Amino acid sequence: MKLAVLAALAAAIAAPAPARAQSAGSTQGLQDTGCVGSDGASGALFATKAEVKYAKLFSIAYHDTYKVLSDKAANGTYVLYQCGSQRPSVAGASAYIPVPVKSVAAWSTSAAAFIEALGVQDRVQNLGTSPSITSACLQQLLATVIKPFDEGNATSVDEQERNTTVVFNMPGGDEGNTDNTVLSSEYLETSALGRSEWIKYFAAFFNAEERANSLFDSISANYNCFADKADSKYNQLRPVVAWTSYAAPSSFNNNTAYWQISNAGFKYDLVRDAGARMLNASAGGPAAMFTSSAAFLAALTKADIVIDESFVSYTYDDLLKNYGVASGDAKKYPWAAAGRVYRPDGIQSTAGGLDWFEAPVVYADALLQDVIAVAHPGFAKGNYSPIWFRDLSESEPVVVVGASNCTDMYAARRDPAATCSAIDFQNADPAHPDYSGVSASQTGDVVHDVSRSGAASRAAALQAAGSAAIAILAAVCLI
Ligand SMILES: *[C@@H]1O[C@H](CO)[C@@H](O)[C@H](O)[C@H]1NC(C)=O
Ligand SMILES: *[C@@H]1O[C@H](CO)[C@@H](O)[C@H](O)[C@H]1NC(C)=O
Ligand SMILES: *[C@@H]1O[C@H](CO)[C@@H](O)[C@H](O)[C@H]1NC(C)=O
Ligand SMILES: *[C@@H]1O[C@H](CO)[C@@H](O)[C@H](O)[C@H]1NC(C)=O
Ligand SMILES: *[C@@H]1O[C@H](CO)[C@@H](O)[C@H](O)[C@H]1NC(C)=O
Ligand SMILES: *[C@@H]1O[C@H](CO)[C@@H](O)[C@H](O)[C@H]1NC(C)=O
């Protein structure tokens, strides 16, 4: 139902998906799909190179017949050499992989999402955590061609892993029993575009740099357009967003409930770029942790919007109860008084897996568009409904995606973002009920840095100019 609204909006603003998705069977953007001949390889084989612009946690270096890929967080060094060429010797290499790879396996849902965005899912032999896969076409492939990892049987998993050229895994998930495992740390990146840019990391295995570059250029241009427009329109009225979660007592936590407010870097980045402010739950670490609901609620007093990421499925009333909000007390909390409570579980697989761990990792522009829609209702003309964020207080329904929703199993998945340049951003209307209680003052309790991942020099200028000049500068720069 929500997708229908989205489709209507996309049509209304005449917005073809910004990224050109490859159609099934196309070899466009894939180089050197053949191996080097027996006469040996010489000269530079990799005509199109990937250059890392936003991501901090991986690097890629090109040599004549091989490339060296490093996951700096996981300390992985992967030597990708053109098949048929002499295998090089590289100090500290974690694995040597002949490319382009013809068969791969992946444990993480984000790796699967990157592979599908590149349109190379025809190379996938096995997928892990397969019931949680939400992409319609990967669900259909899992029902027909791709074998799920035989997760109940370690011997069998081992056989499956050895039977593919490369196994993508997350740090900590690897048994260390094969020499073809490649780790990826996209989830640790501190910017949304940094996460997306890992498409270049995965592309290197398929010699699909051309596809990755063109897709990422399109995502980052669209993202920066959204961020620029949000910056110029909403600098004076920026709600405070908190990303929260509740863990019920269970055997995993010694039967003691706890509450968290996330400090994840990419969320600060997104919230700022959406023209909003992130609740500073202070302290380092990935999240501020609370063992009493009273302390948690006290920390949430300044939040205008709550994005609940609890691993449960529940109603708004359940949430208020779990958070410890007594009946009649909702007006004490701006987010509860305004009913601005969202969950990123708007798209789910038939088995209840969340698309949140797939598509938004790749398509940072669509993700930012969603955060803007949550922070600034009515930002676009028409009734824009976020793709992944579901308004829990309105009991918005989940959109369930199944294998039957796939139209072309081997086509590259499309970027669901609208084309930002075609959207006429509306001014924030202070009279809108969602803004009531949103404070214009920007205290040290929340992050109000306007520096942007995509505009380092402008950010430096803004910081130097001081906050009083921010609105003026932004207005001048963005015309
Ligand atoms: C990577 O190497 C650094 C420096 O040697 C070390 O501090 C860090 O713990 C290593 N990380 C992992 C995940 O092995
Ligand atoms: C586990 O997999 C191995 C290898 O495929 C097979 O021989 C064995 O019978 C399986 N064990 C069980 C309990 O299914
Ligand atoms: C190994 O891969 C081939 C296809 O490349 C497949 O036919 C076979 O079933 C696989 N074997 C195992 C144990 O996964
Ligand atoms: C688990 O809870 C019990 C009872 O509240 C407590 O005595 C014990 O110290 C706790 N254990 C840990 C590891 O926190
Ligand atoms: C968050 O709050 C802490 C404690 O008040 C402060 O030290 C820190 O600088 C703040 N962080 C940001 C990014 O504003
Ligand atoms: C998926 O397909 C079903 C059955 O055709 C349809 O009712 C549903 O609206 C589709 N869902 C999406 C998200 O397109």
Side-chain angles (χ1 to χ4, degrees), residues 1-12 15 134-136 139 345-349 355 359 366 369-370 383-390 396-402 404-407 413-418:
M1 204 184 302
K2 266 204 293 184
L3 288 188
V5 174
L6 184 66
L9 172 78
T134 307
S135 147
Q139 286 190 63
D345 63 359
I347 299 186
Q348 300 187 13
S349 69
D355 195 44
Q369 169 187 314
D370 256 26
N383 250 341
Y384 179 75
S385 178
I387 304 169
W388 296 285
F389 294 111
R390 188 169 64 89
E396 280 183 353
V398 162
V399 171
V400 177
V401 173
S404 68
N405 294 107
C406 171
T407 49
R413 187 165 175 179
R414 281 187 166 274
D415 184 344

Side-chain angles (χ1 to χ4, degrees), residues 242-247 258-260 293 296-297 300 305-327 330 333 335-337 339-345 390-395:
W243 301 69
T244 56
S245 61
Y246 162 75
Y258 63 88
W259 296 259
Q260 287 182 295
S293 69
F296 170 68
L297 279 179
L300 278 186
I305 296 170
V306 158
I307 298 178
D308 174 80
E309 296 185 276
S310 309
F311 279 116
V312 287
S313 142
Y314 56 16
T315 65
Y316 186 49
D317 285 343
D318 295 334
L319 175 138
L320 292 176
K321 202 165 126 227
N322 290 338
Y323 281 21
V325 178
S327 63
Y333 308 98
W335 55 273
R340 300 184 78 182
V341 177
Y342 294 82
R343 278 173 60 80
D345 63 359
R390 188 169 64 89
D391 186 335
L392 190 68
S393 68
E394 297 281 338
S395 306

Side-chain angles (χ1 to χ4, degrees), residues 400-441:
V400 177
V401 173
S404 68
N405 294 107
C406 171
T407 49
D408 190 350
M409 285 203 299
Y410 291 117
R413 187 165 175 179
R414 281 187 166 274
D415 184 344
T419 301
C420 163
S421 57
I423 298 179
D424 179 14
F425 268 56
Q426 304 300 296
N427 290 320
D429 171 10
H432 191 291
D434 275 359
Y435 287 120
S436 74
V438 173
S439 161
S441 74

Side-chain angles (χ1 to χ4, degrees), residues 31-36 45-46 62 65-69 78-85 96-104 123 165-166 168 182 201-209:
Q31 302 134 52
D32 304 318
T33 42
C35 292
V36 171
L45 290 178
F46 308 111
Y62 289 87
T65 58
Y66 65 97
K67 18 192 173 179
V68 179
L69 209 50
Y78 308 104
V79 180
L80 281 48
Y81 63 102
Q82 185 69 17
C83 57
S85 73
Y96 290 90
I97 311 282
V99 298
V101 290
K102 292 286 190 283
S103 78
V104 304
R123 320 288 173 86
T165 311
V166 56
F168 294 114
V182 169
Y201 185 88
F202 289 95
F205 293 86
F206 304 93
N207 287 350
E209 277 90 341

Side-chain angles (χ1 to χ4, degrees), residues 223-233 273 452 458 478:
Y223 182 101
N224 285 323
C225 166
F226 274 115
D228 282 348
K229 287 193 178 182
D231 200 5
S232 71
K233 288 285 185 191
D273 287 353
R452 291 246 323 282
R458 191 169 61 89
L478 295 169

Side-chain angles (χ1 to χ4, degrees), residues 238-295:
R238 296 192 288 151
V240 176
V241 180
W243 301 69
T244 56
S245 61
Y246 162 75
S250 75
S251 56
F252 295 108
N253 56 26
N254 197 22
N255 288 312
T256 313
Y258 63 88
W259 296 259
Q260 287 182 295
I261 300 178
S262 175
N263 287 322
F266 85 91
K267 291 173 185 163
Y268 274 82
D269 186 67
L270 270 171
V271 164
R272 181 193 57 227
D273 287 353
R277 293 174 284 166
M278 178 91 164
L279 184 75
N280 178 3
S282 116
M289 181 105 162
F290 302 86
T291 50
S292 85
S293 69

